[in-house]
Structure formats: structure tokens, C-alpha cells
Amino acid sequence: MYIRGDIMSSFLNGVTGSRAVMPNSETAKQTASPNEAHQHFANKLKSAIDQVNEAQVASDKKTEALAKGEIEDLHNVMISAQKASVTLETSVQIQGKVTDAYNKIMRMQI
């Protein structure tokens, strides 16, 4: 099973690619309403989480197939497992940074 593209960079692009500015036409940009920005960010975040899950599932399937003797290519199994591990670790690190940023914002004086 092939994992789509470079998981880590697509995960990072999915999370960091969300902006509150959405294209209205090809040449003009309009600032999005808070609801549109919320929906856009939620969709990007869900997509990134789905990619992490896909990497984990693909790794699990390859590991199980190796254990059953269905495949003998240990190299690809280990690469798949490492990609899943790095992707999960990246998502955990991003979650920590987002939580820290949220806590800093909540402590700000108005």
C-alpha cells in the first residue's frame, strides 16, 4: 500500500496552510468571516488528522502482513513504520505548541 505523497510535509501544509483570507476570485481576495475561517481551519485540521491516521493504518497493515508472511520486504515495512512514527510525533509537537499559544493568549491582559 502506498502512502499518499510526503506525509509529514502534507500534514504541515494542511495545518499551516489555513488562512483567514480566502480567494473570492482569481485576482481579488476577501477577508473571510469568522465562521468561514473557522470552517476552513476545521477542514484543514481534519484533513491533517486523517493523514496521520492513514499513515498509522498503512503501517499497521504492512506490519501485520509481514508477521503473516504475506510480504517479505522488511525495508518497506520499516520505512512505513518510521513515517507513521514521525508523522504522529509531529502532530503531538504541533498540538503542544498550539496549546501553549492558546494559554499565552488566555493570559494576555486586555
Side-chain angles (χ1 to χ4, degrees):
M1 172 181 263
Y2 177 74
I3 301 172
R4 281 188 290 155
D6 183 14
I7 300 279
M8 191 158 118
S9 66
S10 63
F11 174 78
L12 292 174
N13 289 337
V15 173
T16 59
S18 60
R19 290 184 230 144
V21 177
M22 294 181 190
N24 189 20
S25 68
E26 289 184 358
T27 57
K29 290 192 176 189
Q30 171 183 355
T31 302
S33 70
N35 187 39
E36 289 172 336
H38 179 303
Q39 285 298 101
H40 184 68
F41 180 76
N43 290 339
K44 290 289 188 177
L45 186 60
K46 182 174 180 352
S47 174
I49 291 171
D50 287 343
Q51 289 176 354
V52 171
N53 187 49
E54 287 174 14
Q56 295 291 324
V57 168
S59 175
D60 289 346
K61 285 182 180 179
K62 283 187 176 184
T63 302
E64 186 177 326
L66 180 69
K68 289 179 179 179
E70 296 172 357
I71 59 174
E72 294 182 14
D73 190 6
L74 179 61
H75 186 258
N76 283 335
V77 174
M78 294 306 296
I79 289 173
S80 176
Q82 193 63 31
K83 281 183 181 180
S85 175
V86 168
T87 304
L88 182 62
E89 182 63 30
T90 301
S91 64
V92 169
Q93 293 294 325
I94 289 173
Q95 184 236 352
K97 295 292 184 183
V98 169
T99 303
D100 289 344
Y102 175 78
N103 288 332
K104 286 180 183 178
I105 290 170
M106 293 307 293
R107 287 192 301 259
M108 283 182 171
Q109 296 293 324
I110 296 179

